[in-house]
Amino acid sequence: MSFSKSHTFDELNDSTTYWTIWVRAQSIWKGVTMKTNKFRGYNIIFFDDTNSRIHAFIEPQICPKFEEELQEGCIYIIRNFSVKYYNRDETNRAIRNEKHIYFNQDITLKKDSEKVIRIEPQSFDLFLLSNVDKLKGDNRFLSDVVGLLEDSPTKIAYRKEKVEKHNVKFTLTDGRYYWTITIHLL
């Protein structure tokens, strides 16, 4: 496969459906109504090689076309989809992005088996605990605290192949387990 133009999430808008993106599926879940438990479609969180995230939605009528292909952690090439903007009143959004992808009949979704583009295996946000209280008051977005920093992050400089590089190390805990995290800065 030859590499063709890939669009960034910032470039996406509702003016056309001729978009191409390379993304990793971070989370996939079924949407159901709370009162009737009726299936409403699939929700997906995608992120790209810049660590930008976007929410995608698949209507129940076209879900069977994608059910076997979609897997969390896989990288996909997605073409020909709709982009919609959230209105100000929509609540419980999973991503702090003003737009989302809407799967339509013309969309193509293909696993990137040739590994044309490198996308990190995970994407997450770190917030100051003092900012979490502010987030709780904004019901437009969902938030979840999965851990707390145990110690202050430390920026470490090192040399690799005569080039100075940096990483940040810290410990994250959920109260039961502790993880040492290293983030390599570009």
Side-chain angles (χ1 to χ4, degrees), residues 8-59:
T8 66
F9 294 164
D10 286 341
E11 292 175 298
L12 301 179
N13 61 58
D14 58 2
S15 68
T16 183
T17 59
Y18 297 110
W19 301 108
T20 299
I21 55 174
W22 265 261
V23 293
R24 185 180 295 274
Q26 180 171 343
S27 303
I28 303 169
W29 70 97
K30 289 183 177 182
V32 294
T33 58
M34 291 178 66
K35 290 183 180 179
T36 64
N37 210 26
K38 180 182 174 187
F39 177 62
R40 298 207 40 204
Y42 279 106
N43 293 281
I44 309 158
I45 302 300
F46 289 123
F47 66 98
D48 64 11
D49 61 333
T50 68
N51 205 31
S52 295
R53 286 177 288 188
I54 197 164
H55 175 255
F57 181 73
I58 309 173
E59 287 188 324

Side-chain angles (χ1 to χ4, degrees), residues 7 43 145 152 183:
H7 297 96
N43 293 281
V145 176
S152 296
I183 298 175

Side-chain angles (χ1 to χ4, degrees), residues 110 128 163 176:
K110 183 177 183 254
L128 292 172
V163 176
R176 294 177 296 160

Side-chain angles (χ1 to χ4, degrees), residues 106-160:
D106 299 325
I107 196 168
T108 61
L109 174 101
K110 183 177 183 254
K111 280 188 184 172
D112 181 15
S113 57
E114 297 179 25
K115 299 188 179 10
V116 172
I117 197 164
R118 175 162 165 69
I119 300 176
E120 295 300 326
Q122 297 292 328
S123 174
F124 56 90
D125 290 325
L126 298 173
F127 290 97
L128 292 172
L129 197 52
S130 60
N131 290 342
V132 173
D133 281 338
K134 295 173 194 167
L135 296 173
K136 287 190 314 189
D138 188 349
N139 69 350
R140 289 178 301 156
F141 305 108
L142 299 171
S143 6
D144 190 14
V145 176
V146 296
L148 298 173
L149 291 178
E150 183 68 15
D151 50 11
S152 296
T154 306
K155 185 175 179 181
I156 301 167
Y158 64 96
R159 289 190 135 346
K160 184 174 183 180

